[in-house]
PDB file of all heavy atoms in Angstrom:
ATOM      1  N   ASP A  47     -22.465 -11.998   2.324  1.00 95.00           N
ATOM      2  CA  ASP A  47     -23.796 -11.405   2.382  1.00 95.00           C
ATOM      3  C   ASP A  47     -23.881 -10.387   1.249  1.00 95.00           C
ATOM      4  O   ASP A  47     -23.244  -9.324   1.315  1.00 95.00           O
ATOM      5  CB  ASP A  47     -23.998 -10.724   3.733  1.00 95.00           C
ATOM      6  CG  ASP A  47     -25.299  -9.952   3.832  1.00 95.00           C
ATOM      7  OD1 ASP A  47     -26.122 -10.005   2.888  1.00 95.00           O
ATOM      8  OD2 ASP A  47     -25.502  -9.277   4.864  1.00 95.00           O
ATOM      9  N   PRO A  48     -24.637 -10.670   0.185  1.00 92.00           N
ATOM     10  CA  PRO A  48     -24.682  -9.757  -0.957  1.00 92.00           C
ATOM     11  C   PRO A  48     -25.027  -8.319  -0.593  1.00 92.00           C
ATOM     12  O   PRO A  48     -24.485  -7.381  -1.172  1.00 92.00           O
ATOM     13  CB  PRO A  48     -25.766 -10.365  -1.862  1.00 92.00           C
ATOM     14  CG  PRO A  48     -25.799 -11.804  -1.486  1.00 92.00           C
ATOM     15  CD  PRO A  48     -25.482 -11.848  -0.014  1.00 92.00           C
ATOM     16  N   ALA A  49     -25.896  -8.119   0.391  1.00 91.00           N
ATOM     17  CA  ALA A  49     -26.298  -6.767   0.783  1.00 91.00           C
ATOM     18  C   ALA A  49     -25.150  -5.995   1.428  1.00 91.00           C
ATOM     19  O   ALA A  49     -25.127  -4.769   1.401  1.00 91.00           O
ATOM     20  CB  ALA A  49     -27.490  -6.834   1.732  1.00 91.00           C
ATOM     21  N   ALA A  50     -24.190  -6.717   2.001  1.00 94.00           N
ATOM     22  CA  ALA A  50     -23.077  -6.073   2.700  1.00 94.00           C
ATOM     23  C   ALA A  50     -21.877  -5.807   1.792  1.00 94.00           C
ATOM     24  O   ALA A  50     -20.915  -5.174   2.221  1.00 94.00           O
ATOM     25  CB  ALA A  50     -22.647  -6.934   3.884  1.00 94.00           C
ATOM     26  N   LEU A  51     -21.916  -6.275   0.559  1.00 96.00           N
ATOM     27  CA  LEU A  51     -20.784  -6.090  -0.356  1.00 96.00           C
ATOM     28  C   LEU A  51     -20.804  -4.685  -0.941  1.00 96.00           C
ATOM     29  O   LEU A  51     -21.740  -4.300  -1.624  1.00 96.00           O
ATOM     30  CB  LEU A  51     -20.820  -7.145  -1.462  1.00 96.00           C
ATOM     31  CG  LEU A  51     -20.604  -8.588  -1.002  1.00 96.00           C
ATOM     32  CD1 LEU A  51     -20.835  -9.552  -2.159  1.00 96.00           C
ATOM     33  CD2 LEU A  51     -19.220  -8.775  -0.410  1.00 96.00           C
ATOM     34  N   VAL A  52     -19.756  -3.934  -0.651  1.00 96.00           N
ATOM     35  CA  VAL A  52     -19.626  -2.537  -1.071  1.00 96.00           C
ATOM     36  C   VAL A  52     -18.706  -2.473  -2.287  1.00 96.00           C
ATOM     37  O   VAL A  52     -17.672  -3.155  -2.320  1.00 96.00           O
ATOM     38  CB  VAL A  52     -19.034  -1.704   0.093  1.00 96.00           C
ATOM     39  CG1 VAL A  52     -18.802  -0.270  -0.315  1.00 96.00           C
ATOM     40  CG2 VAL A  52     -19.930  -1.803   1.315  1.00 96.00           C
ATOM     41  N   PRO A  53     -19.054  -1.668  -3.293  1.00 97.00           N
ATOM     42  CA  PRO A  53     -18.190  -1.569  -4.470  1.00 97.00           C
ATOM     43  C   PRO A  53     -16.746  -1.257  -4.096  1.00 97.00           C
ATOM     44  O   PRO A  53     -16.471  -0.458  -3.204  1.00 97.00           O
ATOM     45  CB  PRO A  53     -18.818  -0.426  -5.278  1.00 97.00           C
ATOM     46  CG  PRO A  53     -20.270  -0.495  -4.917  1.00 97.00           C
ATOM     47  CD  PRO A  53     -20.275  -0.851  -3.444  1.00 97.00           C
ATOM     48  N   GLY A  54     -15.840  -1.959  -4.777  1.00 98.00           N
ATOM     49  CA  GLY A  54     -14.413  -1.792  -4.549  1.00 98.00           C
ATOM     50  C   GLY A  54     -13.681  -3.078  -4.845  1.00 98.00           C
ATOM     51  O   GLY A  54     -14.287  -4.099  -5.188  1.00 98.00           O
ATOM     52  N   TYR A  56     -10.946  -5.914  -3.330  1.00 98.00           N
ATOM     53  CA  TYR A  56     -10.546  -6.454  -2.035  1.00 98.00           C
ATOM     54  C   TYR A  56      -9.642  -7.666  -2.229  1.00 98.00           C
ATOM     55  O   TYR A  56      -9.787  -8.407  -3.199  1.00 98.00           O
ATOM     56  CB  TYR A  56     -11.785  -6.866  -1.226  1.00 98.00           C
ATOM     57  CG  TYR A  56     -12.773  -5.744  -1.062  1.00 98.00           C
ATOM     58  CD1 TYR A  56     -13.798  -5.559  -1.989  1.00 98.00           C
ATOM     59  CD2 TYR A  56     -12.677  -4.846  -0.004  1.00 98.00           C
ATOM     60  CE1 TYR A  56     -14.702  -4.519  -1.862  1.00 98.00           C
ATOM     61  CE2 TYR A  56     -13.585  -3.799   0.128  1.00 98.00           C
ATOM     62  CZ  TYR A  56     -14.588  -3.644  -0.807  1.00 98.00           C
ATOM     63  OH  TYR A  56     -15.486  -2.614  -0.681  1.00 98.00           O
ATOM     64  N   TYR A  64     -11.143 -10.010  -5.079  1.00 98.00           N
ATOM     65  CA  TYR A  64     -12.465  -9.840  -5.672  1.00 98.00           C
ATOM     66  C   TYR A  64     -12.804  -8.370  -5.828  1.00 98.00           C
ATOM     67  O   TYR A  64     -12.235  -7.509  -5.168  1.00 98.00           O
ATOM     68  CB  TYR A  64     -13.541 -10.576  -4.856  1.00 98.00           C
ATOM     69  CG  TYR A  64     -13.849 -10.007  -3.496  1.00 98.00           C
ATOM     70  CD1 TYR A  64     -14.910  -9.110  -3.308  1.00 98.00           C
ATOM     71  CD2 TYR A  64     -13.110 -10.376  -2.373  1.00 98.00           C
ATOM     72  CE1 TYR A  64     -15.207  -8.603  -2.063  1.00 98.00           C
ATOM     73  CE2 TYR A  64     -13.409  -9.876  -1.123  1.00 98.00           C
ATOM     74  CZ  TYR A  64     -14.455  -8.989  -0.965  1.00 98.00           C
ATOM     75  OH  TYR A  64     -14.753  -8.479   0.274  1.00 98.00           O
ATOM     76  N   THR A  65     -13.739  -8.140  -6.732  1.00 98.00           N
ATOM     77  CA  THR A  65     -14.227  -6.799  -7.010  1.00 98.00           C
ATOM     78  C   THR A  65     -15.743  -6.820  -6.963  1.00 98.00           C
ATOM     79  O   THR A  65     -16.375  -7.684  -7.569  1.00 98.00           O
ATOM     80  CB  THR A  65     -13.759  -6.313  -8.395  1.00 98.00           C
ATOM     81  OG1 THR A  65     -12.333  -6.379  -8.455  1.00 98.00           O
ATOM     82  CG2 THR A  65     -14.221  -4.902  -8.670  1.00 98.00           C
ATOM     83  N   VAL A  66     -16.299  -5.884  -6.221  1.00 98.00           N
ATOM     84  CA  VAL A  66     -17.735  -5.638  -6.243  1.00 98.00           C
ATOM     85  C   VAL A  66     -17.903  -4.417  -7.127  1.00 98.00           C
ATOM     86  O   VAL A  66     -17.275  -3.388  -6.890  1.00 98.00           O
ATOM     87  CB  VAL A  66     -18.290  -5.378  -4.829  1.00 98.00           C
ATOM     88  CG1 VAL A  66     -19.782  -5.065  -4.877  1.00 98.00           C
ATOM     89  CG2 VAL A  66     -18.001  -6.561  -3.903  1.00 98.00           C
ATOM     90  N   MET A  67     -18.715  -4.561  -8.173  1.00 97.00           N
ATOM     91  CA  MET A  67     -18.813  -3.466  -9.139  1.00 97.00           C
ATOM     92  C   MET A  67     -20.251  -3.161  -9.517  1.00 97.00           C
ATOM     93  O   MET A  67     -21.127  -4.011  -9.378  1.00 97.00           O
ATOM     94  CB  MET A  67     -18.007  -3.793 -10.389  1.00 97.00           C
ATOM     95  CG  MET A  67     -18.514  -4.985 -11.161  1.00 97.00           C
ATOM     96  SD  MET A  67     -17.556  -5.358 -12.657  1.00 97.00           S
ATOM     97  CE  MET A  67     -16.030  -5.924 -11.974  1.00 97.00           C
ATOM     98  N   GLU A  68     -20.429  -1.938  -9.947  1.00 96.00           N
ATOM     99  CA  GLU A  68     -21.660  -1.531 -10.591  1.00 96.00           C
ATOM    100  C   GLU A  68     -21.315  -1.458 -12.069  1.00 96.00           C
ATOM    101  O   GLU A  68     -20.429  -0.715 -12.467  1.00 96.00           O
ATOM    102  CB  GLU A  68     -22.127  -0.193 -10.049  1.00 96.00           C
ATOM    103  CG  GLU A  68     -22.546  -0.288  -8.600  1.00 96.00           C
ATOM    104  CD  GLU A  68     -23.010   1.027  -8.014  1.00 96.00           C
ATOM    105  OE1 GLU A  68     -23.003   2.053  -8.732  1.00 96.00           O
ATOM    106  OE2 GLU A  68     -23.377   1.025  -6.841  1.00 96.00           O
ATOM    107  N   ALA A  69     -21.994  -2.280 -12.860  1.00 96.00           N
ATOM    108  CA  ALA A  69     -21.634  -2.409 -14.265  1.00 96.00           C
ATOM    109  C   ALA A  69     -22.784  -1.988 -15.173  1.00 96.00           C
ATOM    110  O   ALA A  69     -23.947  -2.262 -14.879  1.00 96.00           O
ATOM    111  CB  ALA A  69     -21.250  -3.855 -14.563  1.00 96.00           C
ATOM    112  N   GLU A  70     -22.435  -1.325 -16.260  1.00 96.00           N
ATOM    113  CA  GLU A  70     -23.405  -0.976 -17.304  1.00 96.00           C
ATOM    114  C   GLU A  70     -23.686  -2.232 -18.119  1.00 96.00           C
ATOM    115  O   GLU A  70     -22.764  -2.992 -18.433  1.00 96.00           O
ATOM    116  CB  GLU A  70     -22.816   0.077 -18.237  1.00 96.00           C
ATOM    117  CG  GLU A  70     -22.581   1.389 -17.590  1.00 96.00           C
ATOM    118  CD  GLU A  70     -23.577   2.450 -18.027  1.00 96.00           C
ATOM    119  OE1 GLU A  70     -24.307   2.223 -18.995  1.00 96.00           O
ATOM    120  OE2 GLU A  70     -23.588   3.487 -17.370  1.00 96.00           O
ATOM    121  N   LEU A  71     -24.922  -2.433 -18.473  1.00 97.00           N
ATOM    122  CA  LEU A  71     -25.302  -3.553 -19.324  1.00 97.00           C
ATOM    123  C   LEU A  71     -25.446  -3.070 -20.757  1.00 97.00           C
ATOM    124  O   LEU A  71     -25.866  -1.939 -20.999  1.00 97.00           O
ATOM    125  CB  LEU A  71     -26.612  -4.170 -18.834  1.00 97.00           C
ATOM    126  CG  LEU A  71     -26.568  -4.722 -17.420  1.00 97.00           C
ATOM    127  CD1 LEU A  71     -27.956  -5.175 -16.985  1.00 97.00           C
ATOM    128  CD2 LEU A  71     -25.566  -5.861 -17.301  1.00 97.00           C
ATOM    129  N   GLN A  89     -17.924 -15.243 -11.506  1.00 98.00           N
ATOM    130  CA  GLN A  89     -18.828 -14.104 -11.593  1.00 98.00           C
ATOM    131  C   GLN A  89     -20.163 -14.479 -10.970  1.00 98.00           C
ATOM    132  O   GLN A  89     -20.663 -15.587 -11.176  1.00 98.00           O
ATOM    133  CB  GLN A  89     -19.011 -13.682 -13.050  1.00 98.00           C
ATOM    134  CG  GLN A  89     -17.665 -13.287 -13.660  1.00 98.00           C
ATOM    135  CD  GLN A  89     -17.781 -12.311 -14.785  1.00 98.00           C
ATOM    136  OE1 GLN A  89     -18.787 -11.650 -14.977  1.00 98.00           O
ATOM    137  NE2 GLN A  89     -16.705 -12.188 -15.547  1.00 98.00           N
ATOM    138  N   ALA A  90     -20.704 -13.548 -10.185  1.00 98.00           N
ATOM    139  CA  ALA A  90     -21.985 -13.775  -9.514  1.00 98.00           C
ATOM    140  C   ALA A  90     -22.816 -12.500  -9.571  1.00 98.00           C
ATOM    141  O   ALA A  90     -22.292 -11.399  -9.398  1.00 98.00           O
ATOM    142  CB  ALA A  90     -21.765 -14.189  -8.058  1.00 98.00           C
ATOM    143  N   ALA A  91     -24.102 -12.681  -9.806  1.00 94.00           N
ATOM    144  CA  ALA A  91     -25.030 -11.546  -9.868  1.00 94.00           C
ATOM    145  C   ALA A  91     -25.457 -11.153  -8.465  1.00 94.00           C
ATOM    146  O   ALA A  91     -25.823 -12.000  -7.658  1.00 94.00           O
ATOM    147  CB  ALA A  91     -26.254 -11.925 -10.695  1.00 94.00           C
ATOM    148  N   LEU A  92     -25.386  -9.865  -8.174  1.00 96.00           N
ATOM    149  CA  LEU A  92     -25.924  -9.331  -6.923  1.00 96.00           C
ATOM    150  C   LEU A  92     -27.284  -8.694  -7.173  1.00 96.00           C
ATOM    151  O   LEU A  92     -28.020  -8.407  -6.237  1.00 96.00           O
ATOM    152  CB  LEU A  92     -24.952  -8.323  -6.307  1.00 96.00           C
ATOM    153  CG  LEU A  92     -23.553  -8.868  -5.992  1.00 96.00           C
ATOM    154  CD1 LEU A  92     -22.644  -7.757  -5.479  1.00 96.00           C
ATOM    155  CD2 LEU A  92     -23.630 -10.019  -5.006  1.00 96.00           C
ATOM    156  N   GLU A  93     -27.582  -8.462  -8.448  1.00 94.00           N
ATOM    157  CA  GLU A  93     -28.871  -7.928  -8.894  1.00 94.00           C
ATOM    158  C   GLU A  93     -29.216  -8.596 -10.221  1.00 94.00           C
ATOM    159  O   GLU A  93     -28.316  -9.027 -10.948  1.00 94.00           O
ATOM    160  CB  GLU A  93     -28.790  -6.409  -9.090  1.00 94.00           C
ATOM    161  CG  GLU A  93     -28.523  -5.644  -7.831  1.00 94.00           C
ATOM    162  CD  GLU A  93     -28.358  -4.147  -8.071  1.00 94.00           C
ATOM    163  OE1 GLU A  93     -28.296  -3.702  -9.234  1.00 94.00           O
ATOM    164  OE2 GLU A  93     -28.284  -3.418  -7.078  1.00 94.00           O
ATOM    165  N   PRO A  94     -30.491  -8.672 -10.565  1.00 95.00           N
ATOM    166  CA  PRO A  94     -30.877  -9.314 -11.823  1.00 95.00           C
ATOM    167  C   PRO A  94     -30.624  -8.421 -13.029  1.00 95.00           C
ATOM    168  O   PRO A  94     -30.480  -7.215 -12.901  1.00 95.00           O
ATOM    169  CB  PRO A  94     -32.378  -9.549 -11.639  1.00 95.00           C
ATOM    170  CG  PRO A  94     -32.814  -8.453 -10.719  1.00 95.00           C
ATOM    171  CD  PRO A  94     -31.651  -8.225  -9.784  1.00 95.00           C
ATOM    172  N   GLY A  95     -30.563  -9.035 -14.224  1.00 96.00           N
ATOM    173  CA  GLY A  95     -30.515  -8.272 -15.456  1.00 96.00           C
ATOM    174  C   GLY A  95     -29.377  -8.593 -16.390  1.00 96.00           C
ATOM    175  O   GLY A  95     -29.364  -8.126 -17.525  1.00 96.00           O
ATOM    176  N   GLU A  96     -28.405  -9.409 -15.949  1.00 97.00           N
ATOM    177  CA  GLU A  96     -27.237  -9.696 -16.780  1.00 97.00           C
ATOM    178  C   GLU A  96     -27.289 -11.108 -17.339  1.00 97.00           C
ATOM    179  O   GLU A  96     -27.749 -12.039 -16.688  1.00 97.00           O
ATOM    180  CB  GLU A  96     -25.950  -9.550 -15.954  1.00 97.00           C
ATOM    181  CG  GLU A  96     -24.694  -9.881 -16.744  1.00 97.00           C
ATOM    182  CD  GLU A  96     -23.426  -9.917 -15.903  1.00 97.00           C
ATOM    183  OE1 GLU A  96     -23.511 -10.178 -14.690  1.00 97.00           O
ATOM    184  OE2 GLU A  96     -22.350  -9.701 -16.477  1.00 97.00           O
ATOM    185  N   MET A 132     -27.727 -14.727 -15.629  1.00 97.00           N
ATOM    186  CA  MET A 132     -27.099 -14.583 -14.318  1.00 97.00           C
ATOM    187  C   MET A 132     -28.122 -14.070 -13.309  1.00 97.00           C
ATOM    188  O   MET A 132     -28.126 -12.905 -12.926  1.00 97.00           O
ATOM    189  CB  MET A 132     -25.886 -13.666 -14.402  1.00 97.00           C
ATOM    190  CG  MET A 132     -24.757 -14.226 -15.251  1.00 97.00           C
ATOM    191  SD  MET A 132     -24.144 -15.826 -14.696  1.00 97.00           S
ATOM    192  CE  MET A 132     -23.429 -15.395 -13.120  1.00 97.00           C
ATOM    193  N   ASN A 133     -28.997 -14.960 -12.906  1.00 94.00           N
ATOM    194  CA  ASN A 133     -29.993 -14.625 -11.895  1.00 94.00           C
ATOM    195  C   ASN A 133     -29.316 -14.495 -10.538  1.00 94.00           C
ATOM    196  O   ASN A 133     -28.271 -15.103 -10.290  1.00 94.00           O
ATOM    197  CB  ASN A 133     -31.074 -15.702 -11.846  1.00 94.00           C
ATOM    198  CG  ASN A 133     -31.789 -15.833 -13.170  1.00 94.00           C
ATOM    199  OD1 ASN A 133     -32.143 -14.837 -13.795  1.00 94.00           O
ATOM    200  ND2 ASN A 133     -31.984 -17.056 -13.624  1.00 94.00           N
ATOM    201  N   VAL A 134     -29.917 -13.717  -9.652  1.00 95.00           N
ATOM    202  CA  VAL A 134     -29.394 -13.589  -8.297  1.00 95.00           C
ATOM    203  C   VAL A 134     -29.361 -14.985  -7.684  1.00 95.00           C
ATOM    204  O   VAL A 134     -30.307 -15.758  -7.817  1.00 95.00           O
ATOM    205  CB  VAL A 134     -30.268 -12.622  -7.460  1.00 95.00           C
ATOM    206  CG1 VAL A 134     -29.808 -12.604  -6.013  1.00 95.00           C
ATOM    207  CG2 VAL A 134     -30.215 -11.229  -8.064  1.00 95.00           C
ATOM    208  N   GLY A 135     -28.237 -15.314  -7.051  1.00 95.00           N
ATOM    209  CA  GLY A 135     -28.068 -16.640  -6.465  1.00 95.00           C
ATOM    210  C   GLY A 135     -27.337 -17.608  -7.374  1.00 95.00           C
ATOM    211  O   GLY A 135     -27.076 -18.740  -6.986  1.00 95.00           O
ATOM    212  N   CYS A 149     -21.722  -8.754 -18.940  1.00 96.00           N
ATOM    213  CA  CYS A 149     -22.531  -7.530 -18.976  1.00 96.00           C
ATOM    214  C   CYS A 149     -23.447  -7.425 -20.187  1.00 96.00           C
ATOM    215  O   CYS A 149     -23.735  -6.324 -20.665  1.00 96.00           O
ATOM    216  CB  CYS A 149     -21.649  -6.287 -18.847  1.00 96.00           C
ATOM    217  SG  CYS A 149     -20.748  -6.247 -17.288  1.00 96.00           S
ATOM    218  N   GLU A 155     -33.078  -3.718 -17.102  1.00 92.00           N
ATOM    219  CA  GLU A 155     -32.091  -3.031 -16.267  1.00 92.00           C
ATOM    220  C   GLU A 155     -30.974  -2.464 -17.128  1.00 92.00           C
ATOM    221  O   GLU A 155     -30.544  -3.078 -18.097  1.00 92.00           O
ATOM    222  CB  GLU A 155     -31.495  -3.980 -15.211  1.00 92.00           C
ATOM    223  CG  GLU A 155     -32.472  -4.446 -14.161  1.00 92.00           C
ATOM    224  CD  GLU A 155     -33.340  -5.627 -14.615  1.00 92.00           C
ATOM    225  OE1 GLU A 155     -33.196  -6.084 -15.777  1.00 92.00           O
ATOM    226  OE2 GLU A 155     -34.168  -6.067 -13.821  1.00 92.00           O
ATOM    227  N   GLU A 156     -30.496  -1.298 -16.748  1.00 95.00           N
ATOM    228  CA  GLU A 156     -29.385  -0.639 -17.448  1.00 95.00           C
ATOM    229  C   GLU A 156     -28.062  -0.862 -16.730  1.00 95.00           C
ATOM    230  O   GLU A 156     -27.007  -0.859 -17.345  1.00 95.00           O
ATOM    231  CB  GLU A 156     -29.641   0.872 -17.570  1.00 95.00           C
ATOM    232  CG  GLU A 156     -30.908   1.225 -18.350  1.00 95.00           C
ATOM    233  CD  GLU A 156     -30.791   0.901 -19.826  1.00 95.00           C
ATOM    234  OE1 GLU A 156     -29.687   1.015 -20.393  1.00 95.00           O
ATOM    235  OE2 GLU A 156     -31.823   0.524 -20.416  1.00 95.00           O
ATOM    236  N   ARG A 157     -28.124  -1.030 -15.403  1.00 95.00           N
ATOM    237  CA  ARG A 157     -26.934  -1.224 -14.567  1.00 95.00           C
ATOM    238  C   ARG A 157     -27.238  -2.310 -13.540  1.00 95.00           C
ATOM    239  O   ARG A 157     -28.381  -2.483 -13.143  1.00 95.00           O
ATOM    240  CB  ARG A 157     -26.564   0.055 -13.812  1.00 95.00           C
ATOM    241  CG  ARG A 157     -26.177   1.212 -14.699  1.00 95.00           C
ATOM    242  CD  ARG A 157     -25.816   2.452 -13.893  1.00 95.00           C
ATOM    243  NE  ARG A 157     -24.710   2.256 -12.980  1.00 95.00           N
ATOM    244  CZ  ARG A 157     -23.420   2.287 -13.320  1.00 95.00           C
ATOM    245  NH1 ARG A 157     -23.080   2.483 -14.552  1.00 95.00           N
ATOM    246  NH2 ARG A 157     -22.481   2.131 -12.426  1.00 95.00           N
ATOM    247  N   ILE A 158     -26.198  -2.986 -13.119  1.00 95.00           N
ATOM    248  CA  ILE A 158     -26.338  -4.004 -12.069  1.00 95.00           C
ATOM    249  C   ILE A 158     -25.154  -3.927 -11.113  1.00 95.00           C
ATOM    250  O   ILE A 158     -24.136  -3.328 -11.432  1.00 95.00           O
ATOM    251  CB  ILE A 158     -26.386  -5.437 -12.654  1.00 95.00           C
ATOM    252  CG1 ILE A 158     -25.151  -5.689 -13.541  1.00 95.00           C
ATOM    253  CG2 ILE A 158     -27.673  -5.691 -13.389  1.00 95.00           C
ATOM    254  CD1 ILE A 158     -24.671  -7.088 -13.504  1.00 95.00           C
ATOM    255  N   ARG A 159     -25.323  -4.551  -9.969  1.00 96.00           N
ATOM    256  CA  ARG A 159     -24.204  -4.813  -9.051  1.00 96.00           C
ATOM    257  C   ARG A 159     -23.827  -6.259  -9.266  1.00 96.00           C
ATOM    258  O   ARG A 159     -24.687  -7.139  -9.363  1.00 96.00           O
ATOM    259  CB  ARG A 159     -24.621  -4.600  -7.598  1.00 96.00           C
ATOM    260  CG  ARG A 159     -24.714  -3.144  -7.210  1.00 96.00           C
ATOM    261  CD  ARG A 159     -25.122  -2.962  -5.747  1.00 96.00           C
ATOM    262  NE  ARG A 159     -24.221  -3.619  -4.830  1.00 96.00           N
ATOM    263  CZ  ARG A 159     -24.552  -4.642  -4.018  1.00 96.00           C
ATOM    264  NH1 ARG A 159     -25.757  -5.127  -3.995  1.00 96.00           N
ATOM    265  NH2 ARG A 159     -23.668  -5.170  -3.220  1.00 96.00           N
ATOM    266  N   LYS A 160     -22.519  -6.517  -9.328  1.00 97.00           N
ATOM    267  CA  LYS A 160     -22.043  -7.886  -9.504  1.00 97.00           C
ATOM    268  C   LYS A 160     -20.741  -8.093  -8.760  1.00 97.00           C
ATOM    269  O   LYS A 160     -20.064  -7.134  -8.364  1.00 97.00           O
ATOM    270  CB  LYS A 160     -21.900  -8.237 -10.979  1.00 97.00           C
ATOM    271  CG  LYS A 160     -20.806  -7.504 -11.711  1.00 97.00           C
ATOM    272  CD  LYS A 160     -20.785  -7.831 -13.191  1.00 97.00           C
ATOM    273  CE  LYS A 160     -20.252  -9.216 -13.426  1.00 97.00           C
ATOM    274  NZ  LYS A 160     -20.179  -9.585 -14.845  1.00 97.00           N
ATOM    275  N   LEU A 161     -20.420  -9.348  -8.570  1.00 98.00           N
ATOM    276  CA  LEU A 161     -19.200  -9.761  -7.872  1.00 98.00           C
ATOM    277  C   LEU A 161     -18.345 -10.550  -8.837  1.00 98.00           C
ATOM    278  O   LEU A 161     -18.841 -11.473  -9.492  1.00 98.00           O
ATOM    279  CB  LEU A 161     -19.581 -10.637  -6.667  1.00 98.00           C
ATOM    280  CG  LEU A 161     -18.471 -11.347  -5.912  1.00 98.00           C
ATOM    281  CD1 LEU A 161     -17.533 -10.354  -5.248  1.00 98.00           C
ATOM    282  CD2 LEU A 161     -19.059 -12.306  -4.886  1.00 98.00           C
ATOM    283  N   VAL A 162     -17.071 -10.177  -8.950  1.00 98.00           N
ATOM    284  CA  VAL A 162     -16.113 -10.913  -9.757  1.00 98.00           C
ATOM    285  C   VAL A 162     -14.956 -11.295  -8.850  1.00 98.00           C
ATOM    286  O   VAL A 162     -14.314 -10.425  -8.246  1.00 98.00           O
ATOM    287  CB  VAL A 162     -15.607 -10.087 -10.959  1.00 98.00           C
ATOM    288  CG1 VAL A 162     -14.561 -10.875 -11.742  1.00 98.00           C
ATOM    289  CG2 VAL A 162     -16.760  -9.674 -11.852  1.00 98.00           C
TER     290      VAL A 162
END
Side-chain angles (χ1 to χ4, degrees):
D47 174 5
L51 294 173
V52 177
Y56 305 91
Y64 69 95
T65 304
V66 178
M67 64 179 69
E68 293 180 359
E70 294 253 348
L71 299 174
Q89 300 206 17
L92 301 176
E93 296 176 352
E96 178 187 26
M132 295 302 294
N133 300 316
V134 174
C149 299
E155 293 82 359
E156 300 291 326
R157 297 180 60 81
I158 55 147
R159 284 180 57 244
K160 68 184 287 181
L161 171 64
V162 178

